[in-house]
Amino acid sequence: STVSPGSSGRGAPSPTPLPLVVAAPGGSMTLVAGGFFQMGAAADDLLAACATFSADCRRDWFTSAEPAHTVLLAPFYLDTHEVTNAAYVEFLNAIGGEGAVCQGQPCLDPDQSRIGWENGVATVAADRAQSPAAGATWYGAAAFCAWREARLPTEAEWEKAAIWDDANAAARRFPWGDDFHGQRLNFCDATCAAEHANLSWNDGYAVAAPVGNYEDGRGPSGHYDLAGNVWEWVADWYDPAYYATSPDADPTGPETGEQKVVRGGSWYDTATFNLSAVRLSSPPANADATLGFRCAADLP
């Protein structure tokens, strides 16, 4: 008789399945299955999607998402939610407090952060401890993940977690599905002070919400806040034309650049920039109240 792959029998023992969720400092990490997925989107498709919820849409916002292309990724773990202020405070104090530097650069801009300094020690108010660690530079984000024995996700990893529905072998426009729903994320809604606020929705927060707040907005693998709350740094340098020449397997972005990729939109952005295929960029030394991050890790 024969033993089918993965079954028990006289052959080699079946591999133990990887846990879907593992503990991590300040939270947990959730497994993203490896395999093929469709990355990117046609600018015309994103423009059409934008037009379903906004009168202010421009095709050139979406051209860097072209062309849609097939990518093969190894499985990996990704933080279930964005890194919190509390976790970042612990990191800053562990590496030197107010004098700490990250890869030779400032770790954060206190003017753009809820984190402050008291006698050289990083602190955050209790009511903001579970909000995302906005105001961290890319250098700070990368250093935090390394301190945690993790790393920033690649852009491809981030997008697979945000959009790829393995069960249906299809990409979603938003982490939860194809249709916008303004109570499944934190975006610029009726509580937002900006002129571009969408008054049709109230997501409950004027600025960043505590992480993991929108249960119905989770991505296909179970991750929170991949749309809205804060933009997220990823590992890759930004090139608007990169997808035309991107490797087919485990792409890591251009070798050099001047700006890093940010993904996902924020509490200050319209739903247009919460479309999961949208790519924007930011200088790695930039820090902003709308910009945070989460970490990824290879399989043990």
Side-chain angles (χ1 to χ4, degrees):
S1 64
T2 60
V3 178
S4 61
S7 68
S8 59
R10 291 196 177 97
S14 300
T16 304
L18 289 163
L20 291 179
V21 180
V22 296
S28 66
M29 303 186 90
T30 298
L31 182 67
V32 181
F36 291 99
F37 83 106
Q38 192 78 3
M39 186 173 183
D44 287 340
D45 290 348
L46 293 174
L47 184 64
C50 178
T52 65
F53 50 74
S54 176
D56 182 19
C57 301
R58 284 174 29 193
R59 189 179 186 279
D60 62 323
W61 290 341
F62 308 121
T63 52
S64 66
E66 294 185 311
H69 56 292
T70 300
V71 173
L72 175 63
L73 284 184
F76 63 98
Y77 282 101
L78 183 68
D79 282 356
T80 311
H81 57 67
E82 293 155 338
V83 170
T84 63
N85 283 321
Y88 204 64
V89 161
E90 182 181 356
F91 157 70
L92 291 170
N93 289 327
I95 66 166
E98 192 167 8
V101 293
C102 293
Q103 299 188 13
Q105 300 288 332
C107 301
L108 86 161
D109 180 350
D111 291 338
Q112 295 293 319
S113 172
R114 297 288 182 173
I115 296 170
W117 304 106
E118 291 182 10
N119 300 318
V121 176
T123 63
V124 63
D127 64 344
R128 293 295 180 183
Q130 293 306 307
S131 293
T137 64
W138 182 91
Y139 302 105
F144 172 91
C145 292
W147 173 76
R148 239 185 60 186
E149 298 185 350
R151 56 179 174 77
L152 285 172
T154 67
E155 184 174 20
E157 288 173 335
W158 188 98
E159 187 166 321
K160 187 174 195 293
I163 63 144
W164 189 249
D165 180 352
D166 272 316
N168 295 305
R172 301 174 177 180
R173 287 176 175 170
F174 299 98
W176 58 85
D178 285 339
D179 298 324
F180 181 73
H181 192 295
Q183 289 179 311
R184 295 183 177 180
L185 80 167
N186 181 11
F187 80 118
C188 192
D189 65 333
T191 68
C192 178
E195 289 183 8
H196 56 254
N198 184 329
L199 304 181
S200 301
W201 296 96
N202 185 340
D203 60 38
Y205 293 88
V207 292
V211 301
N213 195 62
Y214 298 92
E215 191 76 22
D216 293 337
R218 289 183 299 161
S221 296
H223 301 82
Y224 290 87
D225 300 320
L226 285 165
N229 218 23
V230 288
W231 288 97
E232 297 182 17
W233 291 113
V234 297
D236 307 34
W237 291 108
Y238 178 75
D239 174 358
Y242 179 66
Y243 285 5
T245 58
S246 171
D248 295 335
D250 297 309
T252 55
E255 290 188 10
T256 59
E258 295 182 356
Q259 303 204 57
K260 291 290 186 177
V261 177
V262 297
R263 300 295 299 259
S266 80
W267 58 266
Y268 189 74
D269 290 286
T270 66
T272 302
F273 297 102
N274 301 130
L275 284 159
S276 295
V278 167
R279 312 171 65 217
L280 263 65
S281 63
S282 180
N286 186 39
D288 193 90
T290 66
L291 179 53
F293 68 101
R294 72 182 74 212
C295 304
D298 299 321
L299 300 191

